[in-house]
Amino acid sequence: MGLREAIDSGQFLITGEVAPPKGCHFEHMVEEAEHYRGRVHGVNVTDIQSAVMRASSLVGCIKLKEAGLPPVLQMVCRDRNRLSLQSELLSAAAMGINEVLCLTGDYTTLGDHPQAKPVFDLDSVQLLKAAKRLMEGRDMAYYPSRKDPTQMVDGEPLEGDPPVFTLGCVVNPGAEPLEPQIMKLRKKIDAGADFCQTQAVYDAGVFERFMEKLGDCPIPILAGVVVLKNPMMGRYMNANVAGVTVPEWMIEALADKETRVEKSIEIHGKLVAELKPLCQGIHMMPLGWDKYVPRILDLAGIGPVA
Amino acid sequence: MTATEQKTREEILKMLENDETIFIVGCGDCATICQTGGEVEVAEMKQFLEESGKKVSGTLIPESACQVLDVARLLRQQKEEVAAADSILVLSCGAGVQSVVENLKDKPVHPGCNSLFIANTKRLGQLHEWCSTCGECVIDEYGGVCPITRCPKGQVNGPCGGTDQGKCEVDPEQDCVWTLIYQRLEHVPGKEKVETTLYGAKNFDAGRHPRKRVFEPRRGG
C-alpha cells in the first residue's frame, strides 16, 4: 500500500529516507532502501541534503520505483526557480512519482558549495501551492495577455490530464519560539499539504508539547527519528542543528563501541514506542543504518505494513 | 547609504601593478561615513601608494561620487593631474567608480572598495542591512520589518525550520527576522493577517537589473 492509500485509510504511517550518491551509481542507495521493503509506506529520497552536492532526488526516486519500492520525492526551493520546480514536478508525475515532500531547503553556506547562488524563488508554502495548481491543470504563468495587454494571463493550461500528487511538508517541533513554526505549518496545510514529517525528535516530552500546542490538525504528523549512531554525532547535532536536542544520557549510552549498535536499536525502539501514541506516523532517518530500521520498528511494536 | 569596505592593500596593488602614477577619487558621502573613502582614507591611501613606489598626481573628494555631472565638473577642474595619471583609483561604492568611468573615456579606473549593501547605521561603525531595494516594498504586511532582506532565504510566509532561540541558522549572530516580526506585531496591528495570509510568489521582475527611474523634477522655490 502506498502513502496515499495509507493516509486515506487512516493507517499509522511509516516512512524512511535514503540519500542519492555523490556520484552516478545508485546501487548502494537502492540496497539501503531494500531494508524498508514491506515496512514503510514511502521512502524519501533527499534533494541535495544539507546543500552537499549529490545526484538528483528524481533519479533516485525512479531507481526506487524500478526496484518496486515506494519513493517520496523531496524538493527544496534552494536550487531552482519556479520554472524549474514546476518542470520537475511534471517530470516526476510523468515517471509515476506522485508523492512529493516540499521543503525550503538548507541554506547554501551550510554545504560544500558555499559560494553557490541561493535561489529561493519560491518558499515551501508557495511550492505546495504551485503543485496544487498543477493538479488543477494549470501552471503559475502570470503575464500580460498578448491579445489584450491590460488583462493578465493567470495560469497556462497543461496538456492532457493534470498530474496527481500527494504532498508533504515538514515542521521543526523543537524550534523556539514555536508559535511561528506552527503558524507556518497551518499555512502549508492551507496550501495543500496532505502529510507532515517532522525534524528529528529525541525527547517524547518535547514532541508532546508541540502536538498539544498544534491542537487539532487535519493532516497526519509523522514524528521524525534520526538514528543516533555515536556520541560524536549527538554532540554535533546539539551544536549545529537548530531546534534539535539530543539528551546527554543518550549520548553517554552510546559511549562503548562494542555495545553501541545494540544500545542504539534499543534506545530508538523505545523512543518510537513513546512517540507512537502521540501522532499518526513515524519518519525514520537512519543516515546509513537502514538495516537496523526493521528491528527498531519491531521493538516499538510496529509490524510490516499492509 | 551604501556600505563599503576597502579592498585589501594587496588587491589594490595588484590592480595598479602596471600603473606608475595614480589619481585618487574619494567620496564625501557614504564612503566618508564608512571610513573607506573620506579625507582621512584618501590621505592614507596616497601615503600607502607613495610608500609602495607609486606617484600620486592628485586627489579629489566630491560631495557625492554618485553625482555624475558634479564628478565631471570636478575632474575638469583638476584636468592636468588627471591627465598625468596612468589610472584612477576610486574609494567609493561601485556607483561612484562608474561616475568616474562615465567621464573618462580613455583612462583606466580601478575600484578601491567593495560595495556591500544599503546600510542602516545604529552607531558609528555598526552597519546593518534592513532594505535590499527589491523594487516592490512589502513590509507593511510584516509590521514594517523586511523578511526579504533580513532573512537569508527571504521567507515571506513564516520562518524556516533552521531558526532556534530566536536566532538564524545561517548566522547565529543574527536574529531570525520572524522572531523580530512577531515581537513587533505584539505592539502594532497585523498579526492575524500575517498568520492567515498565504503570500504568493514574489515578482522578481521588479528588481531586474539594470534599473532606472526617470522623473520630472519639481522646479522653483
Side-chain angles (χ1 to χ4, degrees), chain A residues 85-90 128-140 156 158 161-165:
Chain A
L85 289 166
Q86 292 178 98
S87 170
E88 183 99 328
L89 282 165
L90 294 179
L128 285 161
K129 275 188 86 168
K132 208 73 189 168
R133 209 171 150 103
L134 294 175
M135 290 169 72
E136 292 160 5
R138 61 199 178 111
D139 64 11
M140 292 180 76
E156 285 286 1
L158 302 180
D161 289 337
V164 179
F165 297 115

Side-chain angles (χ1 to χ4, degrees), chain A:
Chain A
M1 184 183 292
L3 198 51
R4 177 84 262 173
E5 295 86 342
I7 293 169
D8 290 345
S9 58
Q11 295 209 19
F12 192 77
L13 305 169
I14 308 292
T15 52
E17 187 167 300
V18 292
K22 198 179 185 81
C24 51
H25 306 285
F26 280 80
E27 292 82 357
H28 181 65
M29 187 204 83
V30 176
E31 270 168 38
E32 283 188 335
E34 273 300 333
H35 298 289
Y36 293 118
R37 193 178 289 278
R39 301 305 302 256
V40 299
H41 298 103
V43 181
N44 288 27
V45 183
T46 54
D47 182 10
I48 316 186
Q49 189 176 11
S50 310
V52 173
M53 195 289 293
R54 290 170 170 280
S56 79
S57 174
L58 180 56
V59 171
C61 288
I62 293 169
K63 295 283 184 188
L64 289 191
K65 205 168 172 68
E66 283 171 0
L69 290 159
V72 177
L73 176 74
Q74 289 198 185
M75 287 187 82
V76 303
C77 297
R78 176 193 58 233
D79 306 315
R80 285 168 290 191
N81 67 11
R82 67 193 78 177
L83 292 164
S84 182
L85 289 166
Q86 292 178 98
S87 170
E88 183 99 328
L89 282 165
L90 294 179
S91 305
M95 296 308 290
I97 289 148
N98 305 95
E99 278 73 27
V100 183
L101 185 78
C102 301
L103 315 95
T104 304
D106 291 321
Y107 198 70
T108 33
T109 53
L110 270 58
D112 63 354
H113 290 55
Q115 303 84 4
K117 184 173 187 178
V119 179
F120 300 107
D121 183 30
L122 302 185
D123 67 15
S124 51
V125 174
Q126 293 157 356
L127 177 57
L128 285 161
K129 275 188 86 168
K132 208 73 189 168
R133 209 171 150 103
L134 294 175
M135 290 169 72
E136 292 160 5
R138 61 199 178 111
D139 64 11
M140 292 180 76
Y142 191 72
Y143 62 95
S145 160
R146 282 178 192 120
K147 278 185 209 146
D148 176 4
T150 63
Q151 298 295 309
M152 296 300 280
V153 173
D154 191 1
E156 285 286 1
L158 302 180
E159 297 162 18
D161 289 337
V164 179
F165 297 115
T166 298
L167 300 171
C169 67
V170 297
V171 70
N172 189 347
E176 283 294 338
L178 200 48
E179 195 186 358
Q181 292 288 325
I182 289 178
M183 174 274 282
K184 191 160 189 192
L185 174 56
R186 295 247 168 243
K187 287 195 189 185
K188 291 175 179 180
I189 296 167
D190 285 351
D194 300 298
F195 67 97
C196 174
Q197 296 169 329
T198 79
Q199 173 61 289
V201 178
Y202 287 99
D203 184 335
V206 170
F207 187 69
E208 189 170 16
R209 187 182 65 104
F210 163 75
M211 291 301 281
E212 273 168 14
K213 276 216 169 179
L214 177 60
D216 284 338
C217 180
I219 64 169
I221 306 286
L222 287 77
V225 175
V226 170
V227 178
L228 191 68
K229 299 199 278 192
N230 53 59
M232 218 168 63
M233 177 181 159
R235 294 207 182 89
Y236 178 85
M237 289 180 75
N238 280 344
N240 297 294
V241 183
V244 175
T245 310
V246 184
E248 204 49 43
W249 70 263
M250 211 180 262
I251 292 173
E252 280 163 23
L254 301 184
D256 183 359
K257 248 185 170 169
E258 297 288 308
T259 60
R260 193 172 280 168
V261 171
E262 291 305 314
K263 270 276 175 204
S264 175
I265 293 169
E266 185 191 317
I267 286 169
H268 292 92
K270 207 164 155 252
L271 175 65
V272 172
E274 283 173 9
L275 293 170
K276 202 179 148 195
L278 302 173
C279 57
Q280 296 75 41
I282 299 290
H283 176 54
M284 295 296 302
M285 295 172 271
L287 307 180
W289 276 18
D290 308 76
K291 61 185 168 202
Y292 304 125
V293 168
R295 285 183 61 198
I296 292 170
L297 295 174
D298 287 343
L299 271 178
I302 298 171
V305 298

Side-chain angles (χ1 to χ4, degrees), chain B residues 146-179:
Chain B
C146 180
I148 289 167
T149 306
R150 299 174 75 172
C151 164
K153 300 177 185 174
Q155 298 281 290
V156 294
N157 277 303
C160 74
T163 176
D164 195 27
Q165 308 302 323
K167 296 293 176 184
C168 173
E169 180 180 45
V170 179
D171 177 3
E173 303 273 298
Q174 298 268 12
D175 293 317
C176 170
V177 75
W178 277 95
T179 299

